[in-house]
Amino acid sequence: MTQPLNVLFLSSEVFPFAKTGGLADVASALPQALKEIGNDVRLAIPRYGFVSERKFRIHEIIRLKDIDIPIGKKVAKLNVKSSFLIGERTKVQVYFIDSSEFFGRPGIYQDPKSKKDYADNDERFIFYSRGILEILKLLGWAPHIIHCNDWQTGLVPVYLKKIYSRDPFFKNIKTVFTIHNIAYQGNFPKETFQKTGLPADVFTPEGAEFYGKFSFIKAGIVYSDYVTAVSNTYAKEISESEEYGFGMEGVLKKRKKKFTGIVNGIDYSIWNPDTDQYIPFKYSVKTLDAKVENKKYLLKRFNMKFDPSAPLIGMVTRLVEQKGVDLVIDAFPEIMKMNVQLIILGTGEKQYHAKLEALAKKYPEKFALQLGYDDELSHLIEGASDIFLMPSKFEPCGLNQLYSLKYGTVPVVRKTGGLADTVKEVNAQKGTGTGFLFETYKPGEMVKALARAVSLFGDQKNWQKVMRNGMLEDFSWTYSAREYAELYTKILEK
Ligand code: ADP
Ligand code: GLC
């Protein structure tokens, strides 16, 4: 058993307030799960310009207004606003770090139109990290643990160790730093370091210097009390090879004794085909036959013909290199030769938008594309597709394959990171397993795995067995939340 703790959870995205990917889902569900097992968990996130104060009942905290946050030679003003993240079984207090200068914008990390990162992302997240530590004392709430996530929060552990821990209020606070994606590192020029107010020893190779740059993620890895990654295989991959570690493998190796993988869960109150508000025909393991009605509905929406013999392949993804978009584009002619239909929902790099748009024009009967971010459609694609394709080059955990399992949408994935840890290869004769995996990052290998899936689809009895196997798996947060709680307790005991 673990003792109840005060946990401050930090993330630059939290569903339903702000989301670009899986981090937002984790930062929403994990705090709730930790709260449900008895901890006092609170969230602190930036108050982006697009977050509706009316919809989410966000209000000011009068005594937390106009707080000075030093950034280099400037001083920026911070206001704290407050609301709740309301889940099915619990609600979590959320503090919004507000600054019209830094966060009053339409995007989270980039300008939605130009798709360019905001030039002052360094200052924005210095402001956020420092701001959090500045408000804690004013709030009069001391967390036992501050749980940081990804580079945007990487400075919190170093601020705490190098500046704030001199104050008894902060002295005993411990930090956990979770890596959701080591490809995004928050590396900035040396001038950024000068804006942090941190002592010079931090800008050294033993500290947060990374080949002449100042690295926010390295700061998180080096100065936190414990580091985690979102699956076991990913934890291994990023500490063992440069291909996966993006240069941080050595840094992680040094932290080996305080570094572990904890796999993500999913929130079944949001992702469940039996209750999903966004799919017109609800279904469960017992009412599997209803799933095909969603397929008909979705195909109609995209003006595609329904063919019971052709499996519908779905993809919902950020359109970036990580997700294996290149493989899909390279293999397109091969995929289109198969008796399949394909629907892709995604947004990301311009080059992929252009290539996929051209393909959508070329294959209107078999392929439909929706560019953009669309929460409702993402649920519908899970509910309607027969196969979910996720050929990632690397995948720290991946949530979409977990949603797919629950929706009886058989995943075809590359055997990497969290995909390797959560999808079990099908044995067509025995009807065991939950999906299809391929190892080598090559279009031909992906096509072979897809072909195995398409072939089993022809044998509906065994196909349905595989669907059921996936639907019966349990990836609820309960287990992983307990692992985090045990980790917190272990760190505090030391
Ligand atoms: P990552 O965080 O690397 O993008 P995950 O599989 O962990 O990958 O999580 C992706 C999450 O983002 C899922 O909830 C998925 O449904 C959602 N998502 C990705 N792209 C879109 C999109 N274009 N529209 C709606 N939801 C999307
Ligand atoms: C990152 C990873 C993804 C993971 C998510 C939540 O966005 O790319 O694999 O599932 O974080 O941890």
Side-chain angles (χ1 to χ4, degrees):
M1 273 303 283
T2 52
Q3 74 204 84
L5 298 172
N6 295 349
V7 181
L8 179 64
F9 201 92
L10 306 182
S11 170
S12 55
E13 6 184 320
V14 176
F15 183 82
F17 309 110
K19 169 168 170 176
T20 67
L23 170 63
D25 290 6
V26 173
S28 179
L30 174 57
Q32 294 181 55
L34 285 164
K35 181 139 194 213
E36 270 180 66
I37 55 175
N39 303 287
D40 181 359
V41 188
R42 305 186 191 184
L43 276 156
I45 69 176
R47 204 305 242 173
Y48 302 106
F50 57 82
V51 180
S52 160
E53 298 200 339
R54 225 172 51 175
K55 179 172 168 201
F56 295 117
R57 297 167 185 256
I58 299 171
H59 53 79
E60 291 188 335
I61 306 182
I62 304 294
R63 64 197 163 84
L64 298 182
K65 273 193 83 149
D66 288 333
I67 301 161
D68 288 339
I69 308 295
I71 296 172
K73 292 194 181 93
K74 291 195 298 198
V75 174
K77 295 281 181 198
L78 183 155
N79 297 318
V80 184
K81 293 184 172 171
S82 153
S83 182
F84 287 93
L85 170 64
I86 300 175
E88 203 178 55
R89 290 178 298 271
T90 185
K91 58 178 195 174
V92 174
Q93 168 87 56
V94 184
Y95 299 118
F96 288 90
I97 306 302
D98 192 27
S99 148
S100 53
E101 180 190 348
F102 287 125
F103 297 121
R105 305 178 191 183
I108 300 181
Y109 313 117
Q110 351 179 285
D111 179 66
K113 281 208 191 96
S114 70
K115 289 189 177 281
K116 287 217 174 84
D117 282 356
Y118 290 124
D120 58 351
N121 272 347
D122 57 345
E123 294 191 4
R124 297 171 79 221
F125 291 103
I126 290 173
F127 175 84
Y128 168 66
S129 309
R130 232 188 146 149
I132 281 153
L133 295 169
E134 285 293 326
I135 65 165
L136 273 186
K137 213 170 162 182
L138 299 170
L139 279 171
W141 181 72
H144 297 97
I145 296 283
I146 301 183
H147 191 151
C148 306
N149 296 277
D150 276 354
W151 75 261
Q152 295 83 358
T153 63
L155 296 190
V156 172
V158 56
Y159 273 129
L160 197 60
K161 278 230 161 81
K162 295 287 178 182
I163 297 181
Y164 289 82
S165 63
R166 290 181 215 139
D167 179 335
F169 179 86
F170 293 96
K171 210 174 138 246
N172 296 319
I173 300 178
K174 301 285 181 201
T175 53
V176 172
F177 184 73
T178 295
I179 301 167
H180 296 261
N181 199 333
I182 205 139
Y184 302 100
Q185 304 188 334
N187 299 336
F188 296 97
K190 189 173 180 189
E191 293 73 63
T192 293
F193 176 68
Q194 280 140 10
K195 296 177 195 165
T196 62
L198 287 161
D201 66 298
V202 174
F203 196 74
T204 58
E206 292 70 43
E209 189 218 333
F210 186 63
Y211 300 104
K213 295 266 175 92
F214 176 57
S215 172
F216 281 43
I217 204 165
K218 191 174 171 194
I221 296 170
V222 171
Y223 294 99
S224 57
D225 294 294
Y226 217 99
V227 184
T228 71
V230 290
S231 71
N232 275 315
T233 297
Y234 189 63
K236 233 171 110 73
E237 287 170 342
I238 58 178
S239 47
E240 285 178 359
S241 82
E242 197 188 337
E243 183 193 346
Y244 290 98
F246 289 86
M248 290 293 166
E249 54 285 351
V251 183
L252 285 166
K253 233 179 249 152
K254 273 200 201 143
R255 297 238 48 195
K256 205 163 114 198
K257 288 194 185 130
K258 301 261 170 80
F259 175 44
T260 189
I262 299 180
V263 75
N264 289 331
I266 58 172
D267 187 340
Y268 287 121
S269 72
I270 296 177
W271 294 95
N272 179 351
D274 206 10
T275 52
D276 193 323
Q277 53 170 329
Y278 295 132
I279 63 173
F281 303 94
K282 322 275 182 242
Y283 61 95
S284 68
V285 206
K286 288 185 194 123
T287 54
L288 258 195
D289 292 342
K291 182 171 164 71
V292 72
E293 299 305 320
N294 292 311
K295 177 174 170 179
K296 289 180 192 160
Y297 177 88
L298 181 66
L299 287 170
K300 202 164 166 198
R301 172 164 163 178
F302 282 103
N303 285 318
M304 289 161 95
K305 257 204 228 111
F306 170 71
D307 172 358
S309 76
L312 173 63
I313 305 170
M315 280 184 85
V316 178
T317 184
R318 290 183 293 116
L319 293 171
V320 295
E321 196 194 1
Q322 171 190 351
K323 298 296 177 179
V325 193
D326 295 298
L327 285 194
V328 176
I329 290 169
D330 288 350
F332 226 85
E334 287 300 310
I335 301 173
M336 292 293 108
K337 272 187 216 149
M338 297 187 209
N339 182 30
V340 298
Q341 291 167 306
L342 172 64
I343 292 182
I344 298 181
L345 164 65
T347 177
E349 289 172 26
K350 280 183 183 162
Q351 51 147 337
Y352 295 129
H353 285 213
K355 285 180 187 163
L356 290 171
E357 270 177 329
L359 290 166
K361 279 208 191 99
K362 190 164 174 195
Y363 301 99
E365 265 125 60
K366 298 188 84 169
F367 172 44
L369 173 70
Q370 175 106 6
L371 294 175
Y373 179 88
D374 186 336
D375 193 38
E376 181 171 345
L377 183 58
S378 74
H379 284 251
L380 195 54
I381 291 177
E382 287 289 3
S385 306
D386 300 296
I387 294 170
F388 195 89
L389 180 59
M390 217 166 154
S392 308
K393 196 163 193 188
F394 61 91
E395 196 59 76
C397 177
L399 299 177
N400 267 122
Q401 83 281 13
L402 302 178
Y403 301 149
S404 300
L405 291 171
K406 182 67 185 176
Y407 282 67
T409 308
V410 177
V412 173
V413 305
R414 191 166 97 81
K415 194 172 179 185
T416 181
L419 298 171
D421 292 353
T422 56
V423 179
K424 297 179 205 140
E425 178 68 36
V426 164
N427 180 316
Q429 278 78 43
K430 292 188 191 147
T432 56
T434 58
F436 297 86
L437 298 106
F438 66 100
E439 259 187 78
T440 314
Y441 189 76
K442 286 202 174 127
E445 294 302 305
M446 179 189 76
V447 169
K448 275 192 229 157
L450 263 179
R452 293 203 298 280
V454 173
S455 147
L456 187 70
F457 187 78
D459 168 8
Q460 273 295 311
K461 200 168 143 244
N462 273 321
W463 181 261
Q464 291 206 357
K465 222 168 157 187
V466 170
M467 285 170 75
R468 284 200 188 89
N469 295 345
M471 294 173 87
L472 292 170
E473 296 260 314
D474 183 0
F475 287 100
S476 54
W477 264 108
T478 332
Y479 309 103
S480 299
R482 266 193 221 118
E483 274 190 66
Y484 279 113
E486 278 159 19
L487 178 66
Y488 299 157
T489 307
K490 184 169 106 182
I491 300 167
L492 289 163
E493 274 165 3
K494 292 235 166 98

